[in-house]
Amino acid sequence: MEPGDSTKQARAATQLRKGVLEYCVLALMRDRPRYGVELLHALEDSGALATSQGTVYPLLSRLRRDDLVTTTWQESTSGPPRRYYALTDSGRAALDEFTRVWPGFRNAVDTFLTTPHPSTGDLA
Amino acid sequence: MEPGDSTKQARAATQLRKGVLEYCVLALMRDRPRYGVELLHALEDSGALATSQGTVYPLLSRLRRDDLVTTTWQESTSGPPRRYYALTDSGRAALDEFTRVWPGFRNAVDTFLTTPHPSTGDLA
DNA sequence: ACCTGGTTCCATGCGATGCAAGATACCTGG
DNA sequence: CCAGGTATCTTGCATCGCATGGAACCAGGT
């Protein structure tokens, strides 16, 4: 990528991902266990949340450390064995919690960005 | 605070704010200069983005350091003088940049949270 | 048997950010 | 003079995303 044009945009997008990536990964595991590279590709396909292995694997380690996911090894027909990550009850609860919080947060940001903040009309 | 019930929610909300707070503050200055406590109250009123002075003032220092805002002192009729923050051209450009990036990000998260990820229908 | 390439996993060190807690200064009123 | 509200700022900590590098397994060609 060329440095210079996308710097500000990359910076904004980078900071945006903080804290959201965790729950998007949990959401991907909602209906089926997933393995690392699979999650990575799903995030890439989304465009706005594309990231790297150096981000995903430490994240998965944290999720496992906090008992939000459990892992099982599974053989692959084309390559080394894969570690599949599945939601625990705590993980599902955390995802539900986030699903409740997210709309309020999203709407708050939308309001700040789209609502004019008139200098007139204030009661002073 | 009790570390147990509201921890997860507070944690999710805390991480969500990362990187977004900066641009919401810039958005608040879009139509009028603002001073610290004023910004703080506006964020409080939004609910989802409520934060503390210990977050806002270092943030404002960074914005000033990066030439995204300029500041002017102004007397107050009821208390110490206020430092008003106003957008520079760079600040306005950064805000516009974020305004362009935000919808894609927001929609991506919405998609992850609401789209079912079927375990069937895969070609395997 | 060797070696190249693709797939999959993981660890380390850095920079950036939000936050709790504390410190400082100004003004008004008793 | 002292108390309380307003307003600003600093310090130290914890967390998170990311670039970089390393390791292991399998298939195919020479």
Side-chain angles (χ1 to χ4, degrees):
Chain A
M1 62 186 82
E2 317 85 78
D5 59 335
S6 62
T7 300
K8 290 199 189 75
Q9 180 167 359
R11 189 182 155 116
T14 292
Q15 294 307 324
L16 270 179
R17 283 184 210 111
K18 296 210 169 190
V20 177
L21 213 53
E22 172 180 350
Y23 297 100
C24 288
V25 165
L26 289 177
L28 282 170
M29 302 176 196
R30 192 174 44 203
D31 302 315
R32 175 154 191 72
R34 306 273 188 161
Y35 66 99
V37 175
E38 189 181 7
L39 294 167
L40 205 59
H41 288 158
L43 292 171
E44 266 176 22
D45 291 345
S46 80
L49 285 166
T51 182
S52 66
Q53 297 180 356
T55 296
V56 168
Y57 283 109
L59 168 61
L60 291 172
S61 293
R62 288 195 297 272
L63 294 178
R64 195 166 39 150
R65 183 198 61 190
D66 298 342
D67 284 319
L68 300 181
V69 300
T70 53
T71 66
T72 53
W73 284 99
Q74 206 160 328
E75 297 295 327
S76 167
T77 59
S78 61
R82 301 164 174 170
R83 195 201 283 272
Y84 277 82
Y85 297 80
L87 286 181
T88 63
D89 287 345
S90 300
R92 204 168 290 273
L95 177 58
D96 290 344
E97 193 73 39
F98 180 79
T99 305
R100 271 192 294 273
V101 177
W102 166 253
F105 175 82
R106 171 176 56 94
N107 293 338
V109 177
D110 277 341
T111 299
F112 278 119
L113 288 184
T114 61
T115 299
H117 310 291
S119 46
T120 62
D122 204 37
L123 57 84
Chain B
M1 59 185 81
E2 316 86 89
D5 56 338
S6 62
T7 302
K8 289 197 189 77
Q9 180 165 1
R11 191 181 153 119
T14 291
Q15 295 307 324
L16 270 179
R17 282 183 211 113
K18 294 213 172 192
V20 177
L21 214 51
E22 173 180 348
Y23 297 99
C24 288
V25 165
L26 289 177
L28 282 170
M29 302 177 196
R30 192 174 42 202
D31 300 317
R32 176 158 190 70
R34 307 273 188 162
Y35 65 100
V37 174
E38 190 182 6
L39 295 166
L40 205 60
H41 288 158
L43 293 170
E44 266 175 23
D45 292 345
S46 80
L49 286 166
T51 183
S52 67
Q53 299 181 353
T55 296
V56 168
Y57 282 109
L59 168 61
L60 290 172
S61 292
R62 290 195 296 271
L63 294 178
R64 194 165 39 151
R65 182 199 61 191
D66 298 342
D67 284 319
L68 299 181
V69 300
T70 53
T71 66
T72 53
W73 285 99
Q74 206 160 329
E75 298 294 328
S76 167
T77 58
S78 60
R82 300 163 175 171
R83 194 201 283 272
Y84 278 83
Y85 297 81
L87 286 181
T88 63
D89 287 345
S90 299
R92 204 167 291 274
L95 177 58
D96 290 344
E97 193 74 37
F98 179 81
T99 305
R100 272 192 292 274
V101 177
W102 167 252
F105 175 83
R106 173 180 54 108
N107 294 339
V109 176
D110 277 340
T111 299
F112 279 118
L113 289 185
T114 62
T115 299
H117 309 290
S119 48
T120 62
D122 202 40
L123 56 84

